[in-house]
Amino acid sequence: MKVKVIPVLEDNYMYLVIEELTREAVAVDVAVPKRLLEIVGREGVSLTAVLTTHHHWDHARGNPELARLRPGLAVLGADERIFSLTRRLAHGEELRVSARPREGGVGAPGPPALTGPPAPPPQFGAIHVRCLLTPGHTSGHMSYFLWEDDCPDPPALFSGDALLVAGCGSCLEGSAQQMYQSLAELGTLPPETKVFCGHEHTLSNLEFAQKVEPCNVHVRAKLSWAKKRDEDDVPTVPSTLGEERLYNPFLRVAEEPVRKFTGKAVPADVLEALCKERARFEQAGEPRQPQARALLALQWGLLSAAPNK
């Protein structure tokens, strides 16, 4: 499995996940379809489906044009408001990337047919996709957990705006309790899981995390690292869930320093207070400077500590 990190708009990320044996791929959160298709062509892969985390325009606006350019393409998500949705996914549902039978051998074109009932679940092979409903930012937000059979590489989580590096998205359509439960579920995934989120907000998130826990050495170290990435105009994704548990205050609501900062004890109340403080922090600060604006794409192997060139 190879993940292409594609910075778009001002601070968004879309992704192309490639199954390297069959050269089939799925995209995540298509905002700029022509840029995606440029990379699809350059990689020489067959795009079979789009996974959309939620309906907001900066994550789903490219779906209609992509569907027009690639007739029959599967557009999957959990919210009927997602543009050009062909099939609605359910919490806990599992898909597979690239295992469908082929006519004409490896490389035979054509996406799976997923346009209407009673179509069977998509059989996409070696890469498994578990769909995790994570409401809070939106009521129909879906995160995607991917792993490979018989592979030493760590799994990957495409978390959209549910979980960001050192932060999380605003709670727009759900309660603090829902968002807490969503983040708690993501936090139970293996610590080595690579986190590919929807936005480059890492520097600002870490500055807030330092306000919450000024004595947290992990926050301090990650902030120093993120500042260097910002200076070099390089993305800060992916992180890992194990790292996030060390410095992301929204995953640390049970920790005493975070509870003390908020003045709350119940985890959902701590999270709600953090979200309010985060909003005030943003309003008081300077406009966020997005990273990686000039980059077209960055390729990461899921075990790599640096991009492959």
Side-chain angles (χ1 to χ4, degrees):
M1 177 165 58
K2 181 171 68 175
V3 178
K4 300 287 289 188
V5 179
I6 310 170
V8 291
L9 307 178
E10 285 198 338
D11 59 18
N12 277 74
Y13 287 121
M14 61 183 184
Y15 299 98
L16 184 67
V17 183
I18 300 170
E19 207 291 316
E20 294 190 272
L21 292 178
T22 62
R23 306 304 294 169
E24 292 188 355
V26 295
V28 181
D29 283 356
V30 178
V32 184
K34 289 184 179 178
R35 182 170 296 180
L36 175 72
L37 291 178
E38 287 174 3
I39 297 170
V40 166
R42 190 161 65 242
E43 290 289 320
V45 298
S46 173
L47 183 65
T48 62
V50 174
L51 302 174
T52 304
T53 60
H54 60 295
H55 74 282
H56 287 165
W57 72 276
D58 56 332
H59 296 261
R61 72 170 196 167
N63 291 351
E65 183 179 358
L66 190 61
R68 179 183 63 82
L69 295 172
R70 296 293 176 93
L73 185 70
V75 179
L76 310 176
D79 195 321
E80 292 179 350
R81 295 172 291 179
I82 292 171
F83 303 135
S84 302
L85 189 70
T86 61
R87 193 166 75 81
R88 189 172 179 179
L89 300 172
H91 176 66
E93 186 171 352
E94 291 194 4
L95 317 173
R96 290 192 297 168
V97 179
S98 305
R100 59 188 174 83
R102 292 178 163 276
E103 295 180 3
V106 173
L114 301 172
T115 54
Q123 292 299 304
F124 291 114
I127 302 176
H128 296 257
V129 182
R130 181 178 300 152
C131 305
L132 301 173
L133 191 63
T134 46
H137 182 65
T138 67
S139 59
H141 192 292
M142 185 73 85
S143 299
Y144 301 98
F145 178 66
L146 279 67
W147 75 97
E148 295 180 90
D149 286 331
D150 304 318
C151 179
D153 290 355
L157 173 67
F158 296 88
S159 57
D161 287 3
L163 175 67
L164 305 176
V165 179
C168 68
S170 302
C171 190
L172 299 179
E173 294 183 358
S175 66
Q177 180 65 34
Q178 284 180 310
M179 179 170 279
Y180 166 70
Q181 290 173 338
S182 294
L183 291 173
E185 177 162 15
L186 295 182
T188 65
L189 296 173
E192 67 272 19
T193 301
K194 297 285 186 179
V195 178
F196 295 91
C197 61
H199 290 276
E200 182 56 67
H201 293 173
T202 301
L203 191 56
S204 178
N205 287 343
L206 285 164
E207 288 170 347
F208 175 68
Q210 189 172 54
K211 179 181 178 181
V212 176
E213 294 188 272
C215 296
N216 187 322
V217 295
H218 303 289
V219 172
R220 192 178 306 126
K222 189 72 173 183
L223 178 58
S224 176
W225 176 85
K227 287 179 177 177
K228 181 63 167 61
R229 304 289 284 188
D230 184 65
E231 291 170 0
D232 294 340
D233 198 25
V234 178
T236 61
V237 294
S239 65
T240 71
L241 274 176
E243 294 169 356
E244 293 298 315
R245 293 169 188 159
L246 297 175
Y247 53 66
N248 188 329
F250 298 91
L251 291 181
R252 294 174 55 79
V253 293
E255 300 296 326
E256 181 58 31
V258 181
R259 295 167 62 182
K260 184 177 180 180
F261 174 81
T262 62
K264 306 292 182 179
V266 177
D269 294 342
V270 175
L271 183 66
E272 184 175 25
L274 280 176
C275 289
K276 291 178 180 178
E277 289 297 324
R278 181 71 171 91
R280 295 190 190 101
F281 180 81
E282 285 186 339
Q283 291 170 0
E286 296 181 358
R288 183 183 293 117
Q289 296 298 315
Q291 296 179 342
R293 183 178 292 167
L295 291 178
L296 175 64
L298 181 65
Q299 174 183 314
W300 284 83
L302 289 181
L303 279 179
S304 299
N308 299 320
K309 301 198 177 176

